[in-house]
Amino acid sequence: MNGLYVMVRRQLRVNRTVLIVMAALITVNDIVQVTAYQSVFPDAATRAATLASFTSNAALRALYGYPYDIGNPTGWLSWRSLGFFVMIMAIWGAFITVGALRGEEDAGRGELALSQPQSRSVWFAAALIAVTIETITIGAVNVAGLAAFCVTKGLMTVVDCLEVSLELMLAALLFAAVGAVASQLIGTTRGARIAATGVLAVAFFIRTAADAGSGIGWLRWVTPLGWFEELHPPSAPSPVALLAIAGTGTVLILMARRMLAVRDIGLGLLPESDSRAPRRFLLGAPWQAALRGDLPPLTMWVLGSLFYTLLLGSLTKTVLDLVKSNSAFSNLFTRSFDLNAFIAASFSIVQVIVTLLAVTMIVGARSEEASGRLEFLLAQPLSRAHWLLSRTALAAGAAFVLALISAVALWVGAAVAGQDLAFGSLIEAGLNCIPLIVVTVGASVAVLAFAPRAVGFLYAPVAIAYLWDALGTAIKAPTWSLNLSPFHVLAAIPAQNFAFLPAAILTAIGLGLVVVGVSAYRRRDLVTA
């Protein structure tokens, strides 16, 4: 039991940063959603009638899921969370489980732990117990935040808060079981994470087809995301859906435990080739090798963003028709709601996606240092400044390319739906992401130089800055506090003209942080994990 306690405690320590980030992100987002809902639809008596058209809209159902009881704040929050944050929690659960199992084996720590008088069962249980504790912690923080903000205003009950959080926690726990199975089948951490993400992608596409199609709602019972949808708070959760989630999770954990018992540590059950023809693609320089290593996750980022922005573009005509039929929707924005306002709001989501990608790329650079691989590179005629500047340029370039791809996808989605958009204005919106990308990359490089182990924590400031822009606008916070968010100070293109001064200031700050970070990085020792 002492060994179990030590291993659980270690996993909790390893994941403490991402735990804080996830708890803050989920809680702030839920408060923002309920606040915006109350601001837009203050009249409870007319909410159901106002939102009735959402139920019949296939594009909205495809993006967010089937809108059960969205005339209620709890039902609205559940619907909006199901479209995005259930996916985020599922990915989080799978990734940290793979890291606790396959990641420990890849690093050699799994074999070291099992060389002690500890069984494989205890080691396996420690990983899952840690994931469960972390998931419950996120749920508890979310319940506390919602209760403090919504229960006191009569918008939700404590039971409602528990139901919404349960929906998110079950997604993390079920896909943690998926990650446990993937860790036994695949012999690398990256491969196991890609496999778990692939399962989630298939589940999402089936759920999308079930919700958007006509007469095929039964498909929801084929996908785990459909089971989460059947919980639909504030109604009592479906016992069949709960049984399906619990049963599938239990079976997957038992399967993973059995696989662990019959395989060698360090290897996966699926056969792998130990030889292949040389492939020298993208091996001409350190930054090219970094790009080659990041191609699988970058591909996932691009494909996910493409699909999401295509759906957003396809909603353009639908949302405008809804606004014309009901003026209440115009309250979603402080300015007049029109085509340009909707595009600007849609592109604000692209802005946060590309900034998160920029952070991810710098986190990848930190991983190269933490694993010790950077020491071998710097033993060659390669300076630290050259290496860091190349990784900085790679991060900024990847984020910028994703912004432009998203702009094109948004235009294509709108064109398919029969809505003409000015292609040039969308490209301008993509270019407007450059200041955000530069300041994000600059902050990440500075943190990498001065506090390398804290780089992963940068997801939290990005998410909170974005959510504060939405929450602060909804509650009419003071202008000076809103201007603390870089997402707020930039112009909302194409609804507004390009704001040169804020863009120039953000870009200058970002470049200054890069210079300071590179200078400091040249003088410090390398810090491994």
Side-chain angles (χ1 to χ4, degrees), residues 157-213:
T157 66
V158 175
V159 174
D160 292 337
C161 299
L162 288 169
E163 284 193 65
V164 170
S165 297
L166 178 66
E167 195 174 39
L168 297 171
M169 289 189 291
L170 288 177
L173 293 175
L174 180 57
F175 278 87
V178 172
V181 172
S183 298
Q184 314 311 315
L185 293 174
I186 313 296
T188 63
T189 303
R190 173 175 293 175
R193 284 175 171 166
I194 291 175
T197 305
V199 172
L200 179 60
V202 172
F204 176 76
F205 286 125
I206 295 175
R207 197 277 297 163
T208 298
D211 288 331

Side-chain angles (χ1 to χ4, degrees), residues 152-378:
T152 55
K153 295 185 177 182
L155 296 173
M156 299 172 65
T157 66
V158 175
V159 174
D160 292 337
C161 299
L162 288 169
E163 284 193 65
V164 170
S165 297
L166 178 66
E167 195 174 39
L168 297 171
M169 289 189 291
L170 288 177
L173 293 175
L174 180 57
F175 278 87
V178 172
V181 172
S183 298
Q184 314 311 315
L185 293 174
I186 313 296
T188 63
T189 303
R190 173 175 293 175
R193 284 175 171 166
I194 291 175
T197 305
V199 172
L200 179 60
V202 172
F204 176 76
F205 286 125
I206 295 175
R207 197 277 297 163
T208 298
D211 288 331
S214 178
I216 54 174
W218 57 268
L219 273 178
R220 293 192 193 95
W221 293 103
V222 180
T223 167
L225 296 182
W227 303 340
F228 303 141
E229 198 171 85
E230 290 296 329
L231 300 178
H232 53 77
S235 301
S238 165
V240 178
L242 288 175
L243 181 62
I245 295 168
T248 303
T250 301
V251 169
L252 289 175
I253 290 172
L254 292 176
M255 287 174 55
R257 173 62 192 89
R258 178 57 183 166
M259 292 176 185
L260 177 61
V262 299
R263 69 171 177 85
D264 290 333
I265 294 298
L267 299 176
L269 286 177
L270 295 181
E272 297 181 39
S273 174
D274 58 0
S275 64
R276 63 184 178 188
R279 296 182 295 177
R280 299 183 178 89
F281 174 65
L282 289 178
L283 289 179
W287 73 267
Q288 294 180 11
L291 176 59
R292 172 172 167 157
D294 289 335
L295 275 179
L298 275 175
T299 301
M300 293 165 55
W301 276 86
V302 170
L303 292 178
S305 299
L306 273 175
F307 182 75
Y308 192 71
T309 48
L310 280 170
L311 277 178
L312 281 177
S314 68
L315 284 173
T316 304
K317 190 173 186 304
T318 298
V319 171
L320 290 176
D321 290 342
L322 286 173
V323 172
K324 291 176 182 178
S325 63
N326 194 319
S327 60
F329 293 110
S330 63
N331 294 328
L332 282 167
F333 301 92
T334 56
R335 54 189 170 273
S336 177
F337 187 89
D338 56 12
L339 176 61
N340 288 338
F342 177 74
I343 297 303
S346 299
F347 223 86
S348 68
I349 301 174
V350 175
Q351 288 178 336
V352 74
I353 290 174
V354 298
T355 50
L356 290 175
L357 174 60
V359 173
T360 300
M361 297 294 287
I362 300 299
V363 170
R366 163 60 191 158
S367 299
E368 193 167 353
E369 178 185 356
S371 64
R373 296 191 303 270
L374 181 58
E375 294 184 25
F376 293 100
L377 280 177
L378 296 180

Side-chain angles (χ1 to χ4, degrees), residues 60-103:
L60 284 173
R61 296 200 307 267
L63 188 61
Y64 295 113
Y66 194 86
Y68 293 100
D69 199 12
I70 56 176
N72 180 286
T74 305
W76 173 270
L77 177 58
S78 171
W79 180 58
R80 292 302 304 272
S81 295
L82 186 69
F84 187 70
F85 278 93
V86 163
M87 300 282 290
I88 295 296
M89 286 293 289
I91 292 174
W92 173 80
F95 273 37
I96 62 170
T97 303
V98 170
L101 294 173
R102 176 54 58 186

Side-chain angles (χ1 to χ4, degrees), residues 366 369 444-458 520 524 527:
R366 163 60 191 158
E369 178 185 356
S444 302
V445 170
V447 172
L448 176 63
F450 291 100
R453 291 192 176 97
V455 171
F457 189 73
L458 285 172
R524 75 163 173 82
V527 179

